[in-house]
């Protein structure tokens, strides 16, 4: 899944892409989102869920200013 604050819009929290594991991951995802909303450190490293991981993710979230120009 992708979990984190959008780099261009810090007040936008994204928690998406869980596919079939949404129900199983809901408690952990909710805990992470709660921490992000309250500007607290999540209980574990969430870098693996970064919105900016991989070129496909950056394109999807339109994080590269040169895309579409």
């Amino acid at each position: 899944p992708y979990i984190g604050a959008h780099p261009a819009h810090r007040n936008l929290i994204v928690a998406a892409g869980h596919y079939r594991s949404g129900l199983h991951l809901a408690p952990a995802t909710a805990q992470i989102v709660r921490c992000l909303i309250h500007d607290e450190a999540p209980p574990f490293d969430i870098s693996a869920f970064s919105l900016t991981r991989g070129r496909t993710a950056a394109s999807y979230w339109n994080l590269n200013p040169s895309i579409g120009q």
Side-chain angles (χ1 to χ4, degrees):
Y2 292 98
I3 305 172
H6 191 285
H9 307 283
R10 300 304 300 172
N11 61 341
L12 174 62
I13 306 295
V14 176
H18 291 74
Y19 190 53
R20 294 182 184 176
S21 300
L23 290 176
H24 295 86
L25 296 175
T29 299
Q31 186 176 17
I32 293 168
V33 169
R34 182 206 161 281
C35 288
L36 294 173
I37 289 171
H38 293 285
D39 290 323
E40 300 172 358
F44 50 87
D45 180 22
I46 62 168
S47 62
F49 308 116
S50 172
L51 274 62
T52 58
R53 73 176 196 257
R55 190 169 69 174
T56 304
S59 300
Y60 181 79
W61 296 108
N62 197 20
L63 303 179
N64 186 341
S66 65
I67 293 175
Q69 292 183 4

